[in-house]
Amino acid sequence: GALRRFSDDVGRLWTSLADYFIRLGHFEKARDVFEEGINTVITVRDFSMVFDAYTQFEETMISAKMQEEEDEDDAKAAAEDDLLIEGDDLELRLARLQ
């Protein structure tokens, strides 16, 4: 397909596909695309391009999650339980980034 045809732009194709899913709001699918791209690219340049885009995406997601938690400081006790679950999600995202 396109990856064979445009072998000099493989990294850009992977990041473009992930960006498409990000714009649709399908963040898990975008994450899958980034991970597949990282595992399949051959050149250092392509790896660097996909990895940098993936890292930027994860940093943006972490920042958004932290801002969301900060905005919910005045939540009720039941909502605080939900924040603990979200906090676990935040820990998972931070671990992925490392």
Side-chain angles (χ1 to χ4, degrees), residues 59-71:
E59 287 174 351
T60 302
M61 295 298 291
I62 289 168
S63 294
K65 183 64 79 174
M66 290 173 73
Q67 183 65 41
E68 179 181 305
E69 287 183 11
E70 193 175 291
D71 291 344

Side-chain angles (χ1 to χ4, degrees), residues 68-91:
E68 179 181 305
E69 287 183 11
E70 193 175 291
D71 291 344
E72 295 178 353
D73 284 340
D74 297 329
K76 296 178 184 176
E80 287 178 13
D81 291 338
D82 292 340
L83 288 176
L84 292 176
I85 294 169
E86 290 177 8
D88 292 340
D89 185 45
L90 181 60
E91 293 297 322

Side-chain angles (χ1 to χ4, degrees), residues 3 7-15 33-51:
L3 295 177
S7 60
D8 56 334
D9 289 330
V10 173
R12 194 174 71 175
L13 290 172
W14 281 111
T15 56
V33 169
F34 279 128
E35 290 175 5
E36 186 175 349
I38 286 172
N39 290 324
T40 59
V41 294
I42 297 171
T43 66
V44 172
R45 184 185 72 149
D46 289 334
F47 177 84
S48 166
M49 183 181 296
V50 175
F51 184 79

